[in-house]
Amino acid sequence: MVLIGIDPHKATHTAVAVDKEETALGELTVKADRHQVECLLKWAIDFPERRWAIESANGLGFLLAQQLVAAGEDVVDVPPTLAARVRVLGSGKTQKNDPNDALSTAIAALRAKRLRTVVAENHGGVLRLLADHHHDLGSLRTQAVCRLHAVVRCLIPGGTGLRLSAHRAAVVLRSVRPTNAVEAERKRMAQGFVADVRRLDAEIAASKARIVTAVAASGTSVTELYGVGPVVAAFLIGHSGDMARFANRDHYASYNATAPIEASSGPRVRHRLNPRGNRRLNHAIHVIAICQIRHPGEGRKYFDRKVAEGKTTKEALRALKRQISNAVYRQLVIDSSS
C-alpha cells in the first residue's frame, strides 16, 4: 500500500507518495483548477494500491478530497496537528515547506491507528450548511442590534430597553428631532441599522423554514429527545457527521467536549471543564440541557438529584450535559444504522 500525502493550498496542491518504510517514491505539485484530480490520478497510475491522505480534508482540502472520493479513491483526513507533530519530531528534513508538509501528512497517515475516512457528502452536509448559516445570521443580527443600541444611546438619554426590535427602534426614532447635522446623520445611520435588522429577521425566518424542511426530510429520531427542535437537530446531525468514526459514547463525549479533562497532579486527582472539542455541538447540547432544566421532566429530576448530592449548579449542569450527549449518541447511531 502506497500512502500519498497531500498538502492543499488555495492555488496549488503538493503530493508526495511513500511506501510502508516511509521512503518517498515521488512528488508532484499541481495547480488548484478543474484539472487537479485528472493530473493527480495520471501521476498516481504507477501506484495501483494507494490511499490518499489529505491534510485538513474539511478545510482547504475539502473540494479535492470530495473529488477524489467521487473518482472512487480511498481518502483519509489527517489533522494538521498530527502532520505538524511528525514534521517537528522527524529526524530528517524539518523545514516547513509544501513537499515536507505533504511527506509529513503521508507518514502521519501511515502511522496513525484511526483516521477519518472521507466519504461523499450526504444529507448531513446539507444540515451542517444550513445550521452554520443560521448561526452566522444570528451573529450578524446581534451585531446590527448592538450598533443600533450605540447610535440610539447618542440620540436619546439612557437609550432604550435591552431587547430592541426593529419595530420598537423605528417607533423611537420617529420621535427624535435632530437639532444639528451630527444628530441628523446619527438618525439616518440608526435607520439604516433598523433596515439591516428587518432584513436579517426575514432571512433568519426563511433559514429556519429551510432547516425545518431539511430535518423532516432526514427522518432523524434525535428530535424525540426533549429540548431538541429543528435548529438544534441540524447542529447535532450536521456537526456529528459519520457516527462510525466514534468508537463509543465516551469518544463522542470527548469530541463534543461534554467529557471533562483530567488535571491530576501527584496524589491529587481532579478534573476540569473541557474548553476544546466541537463548540457548535457543545452549544447545542447546552441548549438542550437548559431547556430540560427549565421544565419538569427527567432532565430536571437528574439535575435536582445532583444538586442534592452536594454538587454545584454548574457541576450538575455539566453532569446533565454528559447524559444528554449519551442520549444524542444513541439516537444518531440508531439513525445511521437504519
Side-chain angles (χ1 to χ4, degrees):
M1 173 69 72
V2 172
L3 264 296
I4 303 176
I6 295 184
D7 180 36
H9 288 280
K10 183 178 179 181
T12 62
H13 304 307
T14 300
V16 172
V18 300
D19 59 16
K20 63 180 181 180
E21 303 298 331
E22 302 180 6
T23 303
L25 303 177
E27 175 187 323
L28 177 70
T29 297
V30 299
K31 288 184 178 180
D33 58 19
R34 59 193 180 94
H35 301 296
Q36 58 187 17
V37 175
E38 179 183 347
C39 294
L40 286 170
L41 292 178
K42 184 177 180 180
W43 168 75
I45 197 171
D46 293 332
F47 314 120
E49 294 186 8
R50 59 180 178 261
R51 172 177 294 168
W52 302 82
I54 300 181
E55 182 182 18
S56 187
N58 271 339
L60 283 174
F62 173 78
L63 180 58
L64 178 61
Q66 288 295 319
Q67 289 177 330
L68 286 171
V69 169
E73 298 293 311
D74 182 11
V75 184
V76 294
D77 179 20
V78 178
T81 52
L82 187 60
R85 188 184 308 160
V86 172
R87 184 183 68 253
V88 171
L89 299 179
S91 59
K93 299 178 181 178
T94 59
Q95 299 89 349
K96 182 163 181 12
N97 54 50
D98 292 351
N100 284 344
D101 286 350
L103 177 63
S104 299
T105 301
I107 294 175
L110 193 64
R111 296 176 180 176
K113 300 295 184 183
R114 288 180 63 90
L115 287 176
R116 182 179 71 89
T117 300
V118 179
V119 296
E121 282 193 296
N122 53 22
H123 197 68
V126 175
L127 292 174
R128 179 166 182 160
L129 283 173
L130 290 173
D132 288 345
H133 180 59
H134 192 78
H135 176 271
D136 292 342
L137 288 175
S139 299
L140 289 173
R141 187 189 185 281
T142 300
Q143 185 183 68
V145 170
C146 289
R147 289 176 174 175
L148 180 57
H149 269 295
V151 176
V152 170
R153 191 171 58 248
C154 295
L155 292 170
I156 301 173
T160 60
L162 292 179
R163 292 187 177 276
L164 186 60
S165 65
H167 175 72
R168 170 64 181 163
V171 171
V172 170
L173 288 174
R174 280 198 292 269
S175 66
V176 174
R177 298 292 182 266
T179 59
N180 53 51
V182 176
E183 288 186 355
E185 185 58 36
R186 282 200 179 102
K187 182 176 180 178
R188 280 193 291 269
M189 188 176 295
Q191 289 171 335
F193 290 143
V194 170
D196 289 342
V197 173
R198 281 178 173 156
R199 173 180 56 81
L200 289 168
D201 283 341
E203 290 187 24
I204 289 172
S207 172
K208 186 173 182 178
R210 291 199 300 273
I211 289 175
V212 170
T213 302
V215 169
S218 70
T220 181
S221 65
V222 75
T223 51
E224 297 174 3
L225 299 177
Y226 191 86
V228 179
V231 175
V232 171
F235 277 105
L236 293 175
I237 300 170
H239 281 272
S240 295
D242 182 13
M243 296 304 294
R245 62 196 177 111
F246 301 111
N248 49 48
R249 65 182 188 178
D250 297 332
H251 187 192
Y252 182 67
S254 178
Y255 177 73
N256 61 43
T258 56
I261 296 176
E262 185 173 3
S264 304
S265 179
R268 184 181 181 185
V269 178
R270 68 185 184 91
H271 295 79
R272 64 179 177 84
L273 182 67
N274 187 353
R276 300 190 290 268
N278 189 308
R279 303 315 301 175
R280 296 284 174 88
L281 266 180
N282 188 274
H283 177 70
I285 294 174
H286 183 82
V287 170
I288 301 171
I290 295 299
C291 180
Q292 292 189 2
I293 289 173
R294 288 179 177 175
H295 300 88
E298 294 301 320
R300 179 69 198 193
K301 291 178 182 178
Y302 180 86
F303 177 82
D304 290 340
R305 187 164 64 250
K306 289 299 177 181
V307 172
E309 292 173 0
K311 293 186 179 295
T312 65
T313 54
K314 287 187 176 181
E315 291 172 339
L317 176 61
R318 288 199 291 267
L320 176 60
K321 287 174 65 176
R322 176 57 187 273
Q323 296 302 314
I324 293 172
S325 171
N326 294 342
V328 169
Y329 173 80
R330 182 180 64 250
Q331 297 303 124
L332 290 179
V333 169
I334 292 173
D335 290 345
S336 62
S337 61
S338 60

